[in-house]
Every structure is written in structure tokens, then in C-alpha cells.
């Protein structure tokens, strides 16, 4: 059974950086796409980034809101997924979640396609 645990959130000033981590426990992480999502107060959870599993090409995809500022990476041997967030903006304030999926690439941004979720880590960006 897969379990996920995020860490690394905190309070940062606008323009600053944070690196989130997601620890994966269970069967091989190589079999899964690993996605990052976020949910701000009063808003729906939204897609942020995904690291595609090696067997499906190993690429990364990003939302338009974070492209060029965030970078997703994975260490399959250590079963860790990371989200490096640079040039943070107040609108990046949210709880960030990691999740796993085996969906076809056409559905990789869809929240419903992800199976297991972590408890989330809070990121607050002050102006």
C-alpha cells in the first residue's frame, strides 16, 4: 500500500524559494507518475506539476501559473519527489500535496486520476 508524506513547507517572502519533498513508501515509485497539487483557502485543488514515470518517458509537465519558476524532480532509488519553487508569489500560498498515478498522459493533470495523497504541507508567501 502506497503512502505519501510531504514536508518542507513554511513561510517565505515574495521572491524567495522553498523546496518541498514527498516521501513515497510502498511498492516501486518507478511505476507511478508523481504529481504536485495545491489548494488555497476557498479554492479548488489544482494541478501544479508532475514527474512522469520513467516507463512513459520521464518528462515533466507544469501548470501555466508555475512554469519557469517551479521544477519537479524525482529520485526513484530513494523514493523521493521534490518540488523546487523559486520566485515565489503571494498567489502561490496554499497547501501543497503530492499524489501518485498510473493514468495515460492525456489525463495526467486531472486530480481524479490520482490514487493516493499525502497530508499536505503549507506554503505561505508574504508580500
Amino acid at each position: 500500500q502506497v503512502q505519501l508524506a510531504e514536508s518542507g513547507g513554511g513561510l517565505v517572502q515574495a521572491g524567495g524559494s522553498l523546496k518541498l519533498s514527498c516521501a513515497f513508501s510502498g511498492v516501486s515509485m518507478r511505476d507511478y507518475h508523481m504529481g504536485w497539487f495545491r489548494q488555497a483557502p476557498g479554492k479548488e485543488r489544482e494541478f501544479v506539476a508532475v514527474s512522469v514515470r520513467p516507463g512513459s518517458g520521464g518528462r515533466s509537465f507544469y501548470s501555466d501559473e508555475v512554469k519557469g519558476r517551479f521544477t519537479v524532480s524525482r529520485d526513484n532509488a530513494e523514493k523521493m519527489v521534490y518540488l523546487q519553487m523559486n520566485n515565489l508569489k503571494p498567489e502561490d500560498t496554499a497547501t501543497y500535496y503530492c499524489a501518485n498515478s498510473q493514468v495515460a498522459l492525456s489525463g495526467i493533470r486531472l486530480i481524479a486520476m490520482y490514487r493516493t495523497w499525502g497530508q499536505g504541507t503549507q506554503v505561505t508567501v508574504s508580500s
Side-chain angles (χ1 to χ4, degrees):
Q1 183 176 354
V2 173
Q3 291 184 316
L4 302 171
E6 304 92 339
S7 61
L11 173 64
V12 64
Q13 289 188 332
S17 298
L18 278 176
K19 186 174 184 178
L20 305 183
S21 300
C22 174
F24 179 105
S25 62
V27 297
S28 174
M29 194 179 79
R30 295 181 57 88
D31 294 338
Y32 295 96
H33 315 306
M34 297 301 300
W36 285 96
F37 297 80
R38 67 186 182 187
Q39 187 166 17
K43 294 188 176 182
E44 294 185 351
R45 193 169 298 189
E46 64 178 7
F47 168 80
V48 174
V50 62
S51 171
V52 174
R53 62 186 175 183
S56 297
R59 292 166 289 174
S60 300
F61 296 98
Y62 301 91
S63 69
D64 290 342
E65 289 78 9
V66 308
K67 192 177 299 181
R69 299 188 297 122
F70 291 11
T71 303
V72 61
S73 61
R74 63 195 292 162
D75 184 332
N76 292 310
E78 295 296 325
K79 294 186 179 180
M80 294 293 296
V81 184
Y82 304 100
L83 186 67
Q84 176 68 47
M85 306 185 296
N86 297 330
N87 190 22
L88 283 160
K89 304 176 181 180
E91 50 264 43
D92 294 319
T93 294
T95 301
Y96 284 71
Y97 301 88
C98 66
N100 67 323
S101 176
Q102 292 182 309
V103 70
L105 293 184
S106 59
I108 207 164
R109 290 178 170 85
L110 300 177
I111 292 171
M113 296 294 106
Y114 285 77
R115 296 181 180 181
T116 303
W117 296 79
Q119 81 287 352
T121 186
Q122 177 67 38
V123 172
T124 303
V125 184
S126 63
S127 58

